[in-house]
Amino acid sequence: ETSALPLSYMVSPKWLERLRKAPKAWNNLLHLGIAEYEWHNTEVLVNASYDQGQCENAERAAKDAWLASVACAPSCWALRNLAVLEREAGNNALSQAYYDKAVALDGAYADVALASEYLQYLIACEAHQKAWDLYQKMPENCRADDRISITAAKAALKLRKTDYLEAFF
């Protein structure tokens, strides 16, 4: 089920090869993208052998896997990963579009981490109204989270939402 929170990921070369050969189901493709992205980044960190071309190839393979995963069955996890790739590339509009699609799906708020990450990103982009609107739509389990309410207070301060700030403090 696409709304279920993935429990873990395997990123070793042994698993990477298995995932490349696995049936092209949404969850296999989600895991493949993570393995492609993470295994390369681990190799770079461990071996201190940064290679721009290898990084670009790994990111492209990860992105292709996540796009294929979304094409099979949209999941907030693959969309979140695409959003992070675009964020890291400086494509804020596309990143936000992926995040918007992610948080609109079932399961997006099963773990407050996705909501918190996106809210903080919107504040960093100075998209205070969008951050506030996102916060207002979040379920109570997210709104009650300390990190999320503190981040929402930043948006409230910029937007002069004094009722929220008085209650917050």
Side-chain angles (χ1 to χ4, degrees), residues 41-153:
N41 284 335
T42 301
E43 279 294 294
V44 168
L45 292 172
V46 170
N47 296 324
S49 58
Y50 181 78
D51 180 314
Q52 182 66 31
Q54 285 180 329
C55 284
E56 289 170 0
N57 289 341
E59 287 181 5
R60 190 174 310 110
K63 184 175 184 175
D64 289 347
W66 292 326
L67 287 169
S69 174
V70 169
C72 286
S75 73
C76 54
W77 317 114
L79 288 163
R80 177 266 176 197
N81 294 343
L82 289 165
V84 170
L85 273 183
E86 296 302 335
R87 182 184 74 204
E88 290 175 355
N91 301 325
N92 291 336
L94 186 52
S95 178
Q96 288 181 32
Y98 281 129
Y99 271 121
D100 288 340
K101 289 178 183 178
V103 298
L105 293 175
D106 289 341
Y109 297 107
D111 182 341
V112 298
L114 174 58
S116 178
E117 176 182 278
Y118 187 27
L119 195 62
Q120 289 179 40
Y121 176 53
L122 290 172
I123 296 298
C125 291
E126 297 187 12
H128 299 103
Q129 186 62 56
K130 190 170 184 174
W132 182 254
D133 293 343
L134 175 66
Y135 174 73
Q136 293 298 307
K137 293 176 188 172
M138 288 180 187
E140 188 55 38
N141 70 305
C142 291
R143 291 172 55 122
D145 180 80
D146 288 343
R147 182 175 292 162
I148 289 176
S149 60
I150 290 168
T151 306

Side-chain angles (χ1 to χ4, degrees), residues 132 135 148-158 164-165 168-169:
W132 182 254
Y135 174 73
I148 289 176
S149 60
I150 290 168
T151 306
K154 292 177 184 179
L157 182 62
K158 289 288 187 177
Y164 177 84
L165 292 169
F168 177 79
F169 289 109

